[in-house]
Amino acid sequence: STDAYSIIGRREKSSCSPSVLVVAAQIRVDGTAKNTLEYEIVQVVDTGPILRDMAFSMDHEHLYIMSEKQVRNSCSPGCTRKERCERSSEPRRFASEMKQCVRLTVHPNNISVSQYNVLLVLETYNVPELSAGVNCTFEDLSEMDGLVVGSQIQCISPAAKEVPQIITENGDHHIVQLQLKSKETGMTFASTSFVFYNCSVHNSCLSCVESPYRCHWCKYRHVCTHDPSSCSFQEGRVKMPEDCPQLLQAEKILVPVEVIKPITLKAKNLPQPQSGQRGYECILNIQGSEQRVPALRFNSSSVQCQNTSYSYEGMEINSLPVELTVVWNGNFNIDNPAQNKVHLYKCGAMRDSCGLCLKADPDFECGWCQGQNQCTLKQHCPAQDSQWLELSSTKGKCTNPKITDINPVTGPREGGTRVTIRGENLGLEFRDIASHVKVAGVECKPLVEGYIPAEQIVCEMGEAKPSQHAGFVEICVAECKPEFMARSSQLYYFMTLTLSDLKPKRGPVSGGTQVTITGNNLNAGSNVIVTFGRQPCLFYRRSTKHIVCNTTASYEGFEKVKVSVRVDKAKIHQELHYEYVEDPTILRIEPEWSIFSGNTPIAVWGTHLDLIQNPQIRAKHGGKEHVNNCEVQNSTEMTCQAPALAVDPNHQSELAERPEEFGFILDNVQSLLILNKTNFTYYPNPIFEVFNPSGILELKPGSPIILKGRNLIPPVAGGNARLNYTVLVGEKPCAVTVSDVQLLCESPNLTGRHKVMARVGGMEFSPGMVYISPDSPLSLPAIVSIAVAGGLLIIFIVAVLIAYKRKSRESDLTLKRLQMQMDNLESRVALECKEAFAELQTDIHELTSDLDGAGIPFLDYRTYTMRVLFPGIEDHPVLRDLEVPGYRQERVEKGLKLFAQLINNKVFLLSFIRTLESQRSFSMRDRGNVASLIMTVLQSKLEYATDVLKQLLADLIDKNLESKNHPKLLLRRTESVAEKMLTNWFTFLLYKFLKECAGEPLFSLFCAIKQQMEKGPIDSITGEARYSLSEDKLIRQQIDYKTLVLSCVNPDNVNSPEIPVKILNCDTITQVKEKILDAIFKNVPCSHRPKAADMDLEWRQASGARMILQDEDITTKIENDWKRLNTLAHYQVPDGSVVALVSKQVTAYNAVNNSTVSRTSASKYENMIRYTGSPDSLRSRTPMITPDLESGVKMWHLVKNHEHGDQKEGDRGSKMVSEIYLTRLLATKGTLQKFVDDLFETIFSTAHRGSALPLAIKYMFDFLDEQADKHNIHDPHVRHTWKSNCLPLRFWVNMIKNPQFVFDIHKNSITDACLSVVAQTFMDSCSTSEHRLGKDSPSNKLLYAKDIPSYKNWVERYYSDIAKMPAISDQDMNAYLAEQSRMHMNEFNTMSALSEIYSYVGKYSEEILGALDQDDQAGKQKLAYKLEQVITLMSIDS
């Protein structure tokens, strides 16, 4: 069947209610949605959209509709016939007329947001029997049981935490739907609007008391409240607008600039400031800057801004209206309902002449000071040597009129031309110039309507005599004395106008044709009138040779008419004719379809099309019109580009649409604006998909490019529709084959990376880049590797030849042996290069796919901060309760509370820190410890901590510059308390940013490094690995190994499927156990996993035998005092074997015999394999390999540590030149490149997936810029270095090197070494100095040498973007810091932290007390005395 049924959902909104989803059920049969009829609106789901999938019931009587959480039968409560309502016979179950519908009223119908659990009484009408109970629901805020009492239902308003938040931007109220739900059916059967209001959002008296809600204004507290009891009569409670303190309407307040003058304002109800409150002030906002002026309250109805002068910038404004605000007590505004403004003015601004000066507003009291030739106030014009003219004076006439411009400068002799004369001092009244204007000797009559006092005269020319050809303009102002006369510098000419031709000579009878009339002197005069017969031709423009006008419709029909041209009073005589002919018609258009974006070609056939000069095609939809251009081919044909259809690109319909109007704009032809006979249809735009998430498609030469999408072929009836697609690869087009869901593009003969661009119908879309790999069998790294290997080979051959020449007496046998070694070396070098190339190509894809979907085990805030603040200390005292003997507890707690008050005193804290730093015995470790302890104490007062930190940093900068150190050294090392506090400050404030943004790429990088390292052999003794970024941790030998996949029994559920784990046959048993634990507990944080040392590895053989595998047992091999750890290859475990992790056995049948290996030896080995100290902080390049003291046996795994000097010279013959293995560094770097780039890009960008740049970064960078400005440091390198030392090198490097500070993970030595290389690259990227690299440079510098310049650009752009962002106000920053403090209020034990800080007071008490005694501010606050009290309370003897 072709019938199509659809239900169209829409969201309805009104100004007073929240959005409600209603569903209009509409049946549509095989066509567009345009002509559907709405039958009924039914609310079927509570919230959210309905799903597309619906189902009819078996009898086709009901329609089942689904949302994400609900299924509804469309026949539930709603409009139906009585026989279909099963319970219609019960009272009030069925309503057949309006008055029987359920109605609801609520009392009270509004409450304040600060009122909770208020009893609401709902009066119901026509409600069925409710014995089953009823629920009251406040939308999604809360739901509770309602109490039914007769026809009333009692509900309780929401509790405190459920009341909606009302912010100032959204007004003072929030409307919710109070709904009643039947417990019997679960359906909402009645609802009414309920209002929550918030008086406190009002900050002025008038807005408060004029609110429709019960709001009262406390004028002495300047707050709006709903509770009258909280605002007593004494506090000035106001309930009526007329009782509000307010300024009254004032006449225009004029204040000349730079003149000291008071401003007196009338008012009413002005409050008298109470005890402790500040007086009145006037605030004038002048050009964005605020000027506060003390004001005097005379009484409740008058206030005066005191004597002050005001000014504003620039001479292009002569009067500036300025906002005036009257405040008292600092920021209590007095309402200004009349919007009174102060008008500041400058007499001299834009009044450069006497006339302009005297025509100014008389209230300004400006006059012309003739001695100074400027417009001033009388008091500014020196009386003794000049005359001051003002408008009111008898001598108020300006001398020296001047003509600056006349227009036009040509006109016909017949006159009638209106000449505009502009100049200076051209009289102040029309009568001054009414009869004294001559142009070229001809009287010119001034017109009142064109006169602008002092500036402009417009006059109409009389007729000139044949003898008059040109002349000047002459005027007299009031009287014709020399000082009142003016003459123009320009000449006015009389011209004769002629016509010669017109084009086109015919046009449609409806008009609209643009006609050009040619001739001479056609730009003379002021007014042009063109008529075609009796029809006007609308003037458009003219020049010396042309007049252009637009024809109007001819009411006489088709005819040839005479053309007449009049310029002013001159009629130009010339026989010219124009013909009105039949309007064009449209007979056929093809094709009758396009896509929403338009711009597809349309062929049009009709008649008289060549008459139209600028044909256009139009389409109107949804009230919006789009037009496009057409090109005429001949009188019967033209081609057009289809206009677009006005649809929302973000909500494009998947259905075809017909425009409301479709037609042509052909000059003035109205009949073709809407074509009724066309069925022009628009189909959805083609939509393309991107190639893949990375946006890069890799291809081999000659492979086709496939662009996937939908709607690629419009579903036109007949199926022969085709769109004209153009696909560009780079700049080259390719041949395209189209199907409904894909474009096949034959790629042009290109190699390398190119952007792909698809164009159709005015749309452009790029699905991404295509990378066409060249037909080269080897990549650049491989070619370089072979070249290096070849070079090495040549060196060796030369060496052999020299050795041969020198040792020619040696036997032929030695020569052959050397030759064999060389051949062996050459083949192994080639093999290694080939392997490096293959690994680089395959590893990147495997690594990316393996990392997808792994959860990120973030540490909680407390653990994270402890690891950064106190690295290496697991159970720090600040996490525990204070431990004091009971008899001292009360005194100590009292002492620490007093000490806390001192720490919260900025003078004391700064003096304390400076005193400690000046002590020689106060070590670097102590400085870091004190900084961390202070920050833990101030965690709950971050605003104060930030203030102290800024002061300490400012002191540090001063000290750095005074000591003549290079400014770039600032913040380079942690040598002061301030620098460590800065680290800790960022640690606190960037935790959210780490969790939301930077954590993911950092964790991905860590996982990628760990996974890549574990793909190859890792020596469990030395920590060296086949894959590494660090040259020091690279195995420089060929290790033969195979990858095995073992099936591991799930320890949590033996019956569940076995887990496949990738293992290397050269792995030690401990390494195997760790890889199995990683696979089984993939998404479990490290601290919650079992330890490998607590588990045994059991090999379950096919025969049923079970064998415990260990690193050391009786089968371990010993050769020449070297004992090799057992591996899977040692036990000959085959691929696909089944293994299990079981709890540690006390004894096992293949365990080490106690008689052969002593317990001491075993414990030494265990220590050795775990290394010394924490593995996370490991930095040693070669771990300690200590021989067993009892047996002299040394342990080894993959490579022997040859520092023992017992390697035989003969062994070297089997080795390659170790440097050849450095190519593996490149392979590893290439594999990890994406993850390094992602991390650096996230850190160095200001927008992160919708998250804003953390305020702390912008705030601190602005502070550093302010300090640089203060010290006149304008070197961009210094500023750049300060910012780098402050954030990237102080915080980010620490996180990159130590991801275990952020995540619950274990970091081994090889991962640590690789992270150190990444961190070094990060540091180099932030540096401004040039790195000069050569062949002797360290490998980790060479490895990223090409990447560092682009990383540096990222850093510079990042700093530049931050600098361009708007500054953060102290108010916003303090609000942010207060919020951070509140979130982490109780993370640390403050008493314990204070106790730890106090230990330094005990150590340096005399020095601290001495410093406090010498400080004046400390003396005023008696801080030394308070500290002595603390010392007394804390002392053990007291």
Side-chain angles (χ1 to χ4, degrees), residues 1307-1326:
K1307 180 183 70 173
N1308 57 24
S1309 65
I1310 180 62
T1311 310
D1312 178 77
C1314 293
L1315 286 168
S1316 293
V1317 173
V1318 175
Q1320 182 61 51
T1321 304
F1322 186 91
M1323 292 162 77
D1324 292 345
S1325 304
C1326 295

Side-chain angles (χ1 to χ4, degrees), residues 590 595 614 649 677 704 706 883 914 1018 1177 1314 1333 1345 1397 1412:
E590 203 175 280
I595 55 176
N614 182 26
K677 60 188 178 186
I706 297 173
E883 295 172 1
R914 289 164 183 157
I1018 300 175
S1177 60
C1314 293
L1333 299 173
I1397 298 173
L1412 290 172

Side-chain angles (χ1 to χ4, degrees), residues 600-826:
T600 59
I602 296 172
V604 182
W605 288 269
T607 62
H608 300 298
L609 298 178
D610 57 336
L611 296 175
I612 306 303
Q613 293 165 316
N614 182 26
Q616 291 180 307
I617 187 168
R618 67 184 283 270
K620 187 176 181 182
H621 187 73
K624 292 183 182 174
E625 182 178 40
H626 283 273
V627 297
N628 213 333
N629 294 325
C630 300
E631 189 176 328
V632 176
Q633 308 295 321
N634 52 51
S635 64
T636 58
E637 286 181 43
M638 68 179 176
T639 57
C640 300
Q641 293 293 314
L645 196 70
V647 293
D648 186 348
N650 299 321
H651 302 94
Q652 180 180 308
S653 167
E654 289 297 316
L655 304 170
E657 296 279 359
R658 291 223 179 114
E660 294 158 8
E661 295 179 6
F662 184 85
F664 292 85
I665 302 171
L666 304 180
D667 292 347
N668 272 0
V669 180
Q670 301 297 311
S671 59
L672 298 179
L673 284 173
I674 302 172
L675 284 185
N676 294 322
K677 60 188 178 186
T678 180
N679 291 318
F680 202 89
T681 306
Y682 280 89
Y683 294 99
N685 285 334
I687 295 171
F688 293 100
E689 299 172 8
V690 293
F691 287 141
N692 51 45
S694 69
I696 298 175
L697 179 66
E698 295 190 9
L699 292 177
K700 292 182 179 175
S703 301
I705 301 168
I706 297 173
L707 283 75
K708 294 182 180 177
R710 63 179 193 275
N711 306 333
L712 303 186
I713 298 179
V716 179
N720 59 350
R722 284 289 181 273
L723 288 167
N724 185 19
Y725 288 94
T726 303
V727 178
L728 297 176
V729 181
E731 299 296 321
K732 287 194 175 182
C734 66
V736 177
T737 308
V738 186
S739 71
D740 193 35
V741 292
Q742 66 181 32
L743 294 184
L744 192 71
C745 161
E746 299 296 334
S747 61
N749 186 19
L750 294 168
T751 57
R753 182 178 291 195
H754 301 279
K755 186 177 183 180
V756 177
M757 181 67 73
R759 292 177 183 160
V760 61
M763 288 172 27
E764 280 192 352
F765 177 78
S766 174
M769 309 282 283
V770 64
Y771 177 70
I772 305 171
S773 54
D775 281 333
S776 169
L778 292 175
S779 69
L780 183 61
I783 293 167
V784 170
S785 302
I786 290 169
V788 171
L792 289 170
L793 191 61
I794 291 166
I795 292 166
F796 270 90
I797 291 169
V798 171
V800 169
L801 289 172
I802 293 168
Y804 174 72
K805 191 174 180 181
R806 286 185 179 176
K807 300 182 180 181
S808 57
R809 294 174 189 171
E810 289 183 4
S811 65
D812 290 341
L813 188 64
T814 306
L815 183 61
K816 285 181 181 178
R817 184 162 59 84
L818 283 173
Q819 190 62 48
M820 284 173 64
Q821 287 180 2
M822 288 306 304
D823 292 342
N824 188 27
L825 173 64
E826 183 180 354

Side-chain angles (χ1 to χ4, degrees), residues 793-897:
L793 191 61
I794 291 166
I795 292 166
F796 270 90
I797 291 169
V798 171
V800 169
L801 289 172
I802 293 168
Y804 174 72
K805 191 174 180 181
R806 286 185 179 176
K807 300 182 180 181
S808 57
R809 294 174 189 171
E810 289 183 4
S811 65
D812 290 341
L813 188 64
T814 306
L815 183 61
K816 285 181 181 178
R817 184 162 59 84
L818 283 173
Q819 190 62 48
M820 284 173 64
Q821 287 180 2
M822 288 306 304
D823 292 342
N824 188 27
L825 173 64
E826 183 180 354
S827 61
R828 292 178 70 179
V829 164
L831 182 65
E832 178 61 27
C833 293
K834 191 174 179 183
E835 280 182 12
F837 170 69
E839 286 167 358
L840 179 58
Q841 297 304 312
T842 56
D843 287 358
I844 296 174
H845 175 71
E846 287 180 21
L847 203 51
T848 311
S849 55
D850 287 352
L851 285 178
D852 287 348
I856 302 180
F858 281 104
L859 292 171
D860 62 84
Y861 181 85
R862 179 188 293 186
T863 314
Y864 151 79
T865 47
M866 288 305 294
R867 289 193 178 182
V868 182
L869 268 63
F870 306 102
I873 304 175
E874 285 298 321
D875 187 18
H876 197 279
V878 300
L879 300 177
R880 304 194 301 269
D881 286 339
L882 186 63
E883 295 172 1
V884 213
Y887 68 92
R888 291 184 60 227
Q889 187 166 356
E890 188 176 337
R891 289 183 65 83
V892 168
E893 285 185 359
K894 186 177 179 183
L896 288 178
K897 283 177 183 173

Side-chain angles (χ1 to χ4, degrees), residues 1221-1272:
Y1221 293 102
L1222 292 178
T1223 54
R1224 288 188 190 148
L1225 298 179
L1226 271 178
T1228 309
K1229 182 244 181 183
T1231 310
L1232 300 174
Q1233 185 69 51
K1234 173 186 178 293
F1235 301 94
V1236 175
D1237 284 354
D1238 284 356
L1239 175 62
F1240 286 19
E1241 189 173 2
T1242 302
I1243 291 173
F1244 294 133
S1245 68
T1246 52
H1248 320 270
R1249 304 184 211 120
S1251 296
L1253 179 83
L1255 293 184
I1257 297 175
K1258 169 67 176 166
Y1259 189 77
M1260 189 49 68
F1261 280 16
D1262 282 1
F1263 170 73
L1264 292 175
D1265 281 337
E1266 285 168 18
Q1267 289 295 313
D1269 290 341
K1270 178 183 169 186
H1271 294 284
N1272 290 320

Side-chain angles (χ1 to χ4, degrees), residues 40 76 112 154 196 490 598 629 682 761 846 948 1058 1306 1341 1375:
E40 180 184 1
S76 297
S112 171
Q154 295 180 356
F196 291 92
Q490 293 168 281
N629 294 325
Y682 280 89
E846 287 180 21
V948 171
E1058 291 155 357
H1306 171 72
K1341 298 262 188 189

Side-chain angles (χ1 to χ4, degrees), residues 148-188:
V148 181
V149 183
S151 67
Q152 293 183 341
I153 297 168
Q154 295 180 356
C155 300
I156 303 297
S157 74
K161 62 184 179 184
E162 295 164 336
V163 170
Q165 296 291 316
I166 297 175
I167 55 174
T168 314
E169 288 79 10
N170 296 342
D172 63 351
H173 67 281
H174 181 77
I175 301 172
V176 299
Q177 287 298 307
L178 170 52
Q179 301 168 330
L180 293 183
K181 273 188 186 174
S182 165
K183 287 188 178 178
E184 180 184 7
T185 63
M187 298 296 295
T188 299

